[in-house]
Amino acid sequence: MFITIEGIDGTGKTTQASNIVEFFCELVGPEKVLWTREPGDWTKGSLIRELLLHSELKHLHSELYLFLIDRCEHVSGVIMPALQKGKIVICERYTDSTLAYQVWGRGLSLQKVEALFAWSGFPVPDKTIWLDMDVREALSRVLSRGDQDRIESDGLEFLSRVRKGYIDLQGREPERIKRINAEGTIGDVKGRVQREMEPLLNGIR
Ligand code: TYD
């Protein structure tokens, strides 16, 4: 099973990913669960992550290609081997991030980017948890953490377009992408996420 966690910056993806991972570890055992993230969670991934988040890229397409190289290596070296061993893979950010940020956010062609996904053979997640919240609230959380990366520092207008991307993507694929209200306490959000996980358990128990 392949589960992805999505949302604009500051929505608490890592915290909720950790809850989901714990939940599945208790259910099937930690050896059957893989927790990973994009960009950068493969052997040389920190090199691409550094280029993506902290360098001045001049060509409009460079950012897209770097995310795609990162995903190609992550899919073939990490995600696919785990899925082939029958593991449950929980991945923070994946193809929907590229669509929301590079297509809706930066204005690249949806058709072309989706064609690149298909050509690269990226597996489609079984379920995507989209943590959604007001853009101002999310941004103020990011700002309070200090230390912004290049993409986060693009600001309110950019993140509003990205959020619109997630809204549209969910509208296109309501069965796969589940919207979770990410406002409230960590416990509130955890409860909401867990309710979305319930239907998936039938295949496991
Ligand atoms: P990261 O610090 O990993 O994300 P988060 O803020 O969720 O902890 O930084 C990743 C940044 O890269 C984030 O701003 C989203 C962006 N991103 C894209 O623009 N496209 C993509 O395909 C992916 C995977 C991430």
Side-chain angles (χ1 to χ4, degrees), residues 4 6 126-132 170 173-181 192-193 196-197 199:
T4 59
E6 292 283 355
D126 297 298
K127 196 61 73 183
T128 296
I129 297 293
W130 161 39
L131 297 171
D132 184 37
Q170 199 271 338
E173 288 183 80
E175 276 312 306
R176 173 173 70 84
I177 305 178
K178 297 296 172 189
R179 177 187 175 272
I180 306 279
N181 174 4
R192 292 174 202 142
V193 171
E196 284 301 337
M197 291 287 126

Side-chain angles (χ1 to χ4, degrees), residues 7-14 53-54 93 101 131 133-156 158-160 162:
I8 56 173
D9 309 77
T11 49
K13 286 182 295 301
T14 302
L53 302 182
H54 302 287
R93 295 199 179 282
Y101 282 77
L131 297 171
M133 70 161 58
D134 176 67
V135 177
R136 281 174 205 278
E137 168 72 20
L139 198 60
S140 82
R141 288 191 189 188
V142 170
L143 295 176
S144 71
R145 287 201 300 237
D147 188 30
Q148 280 175 279
D149 63 47
R150 188 179 54 80
I151 293 170
E152 285 168 347
S153 64
D154 284 326
L156 193 67
F158 175 71
L159 279 187
S160 301
V162 173

Side-chain angles (χ1 to χ4, degrees), residues 49-62:
R49 201 180 153 84
E50 179 60 31
L51 274 172
L52 271 166
L53 302 182
H54 302 287
S55 50
E56 288 247 339
L57 301 170
K58 300 259 184 317
H59 194 292
L60 183 63
H61 295 180
S62 303

Side-chain angles (χ1 to χ4, degrees), residues 1-174:
M1 191 182 336
F2 183 24
I3 299 169
T4 59
I5 303 170
E6 292 283 355
I8 56 173
D9 309 77
T11 49
K13 286 182 295 301
T14 302
T15 309
Q16 294 307 325
S18 148
N19 289 333
I20 296 175
V21 168
E22 196 183 298
F23 175 76
F24 281 114
C25 283
E26 275 171 23
L27 203 69
V28 297
E31 68 289 347
K32 286 267 174 67
V33 180
L34 175 81
W35 178 6
T36 187
R37 68 188 284 223
E38 292 193 353
D41 213 351
W42 52 281
T43 352
K44 298 281 180 186
S46 56
L47 297 174
I48 290 195
R49 201 180 153 84
E50 179 60 31
L51 274 172
L52 271 166
L53 302 182
H54 302 287
S55 50
E56 288 247 339
L57 301 170
K58 300 259 184 317
H59 194 292
L60 183 63
H61 295 180
S62 303
E63 184 180 84
L64 169 74
Y65 295 144
L66 285 169
F67 280 117
L68 293 181
I69 296 171
D70 179 73
R71 184 157 309 128
C72 284
E73 291 307 306
H74 189 222
V75 162
S76 51
V78 179
I79 295 177
M80 285 312 289
L83 290 175
Q84 276 154 5
K85 286 188 195 128
K87 292 191 185 186
I88 297 173
V89 175
I90 291 128
C91 182
E92 287 175 55
R93 295 199 179 282
Y94 186 63
T95 44
D96 297 304
S97 280
T98 313
L99 297 176
Y101 282 77
Q102 277 66 55
V103 173
W104 271 261
R106 301 265 190 246
L108 298 185
S109 155
L110 175 63
Q111 215 188 355
K112 289 198 169 109
V113 173
E114 284 194 319
L116 287 168
F117 289 173
W119 189 40
S120 310
F122 297 149
V124 177
D126 297 298
K127 196 61 73 183
T128 296
I129 297 293
W130 161 39
L131 297 171
D132 184 37
M133 70 161 58
D134 176 67
V135 177
R136 281 174 205 278
E137 168 72 20
L139 198 60
S140 82
R141 288 191 189 188
V142 170
L143 295 176
S144 71
R145 287 201 300 237
D147 188 30
Q148 280 175 279
D149 63 47
R150 188 179 54 80
I151 293 170
E152 285 168 347
S153 64
D154 284 326
L156 193 67
E157 260 180 50
F158 175 71
L159 279 187
S160 301
R161 290 198 300 275
V162 173
R163 176 164 181 253
K164 172 73 168 63
Y166 282 118
I167 293 169
D168 292 352
L169 290 168
Q170 199 271 338
R172 291 199 326 171
E173 288 183 80

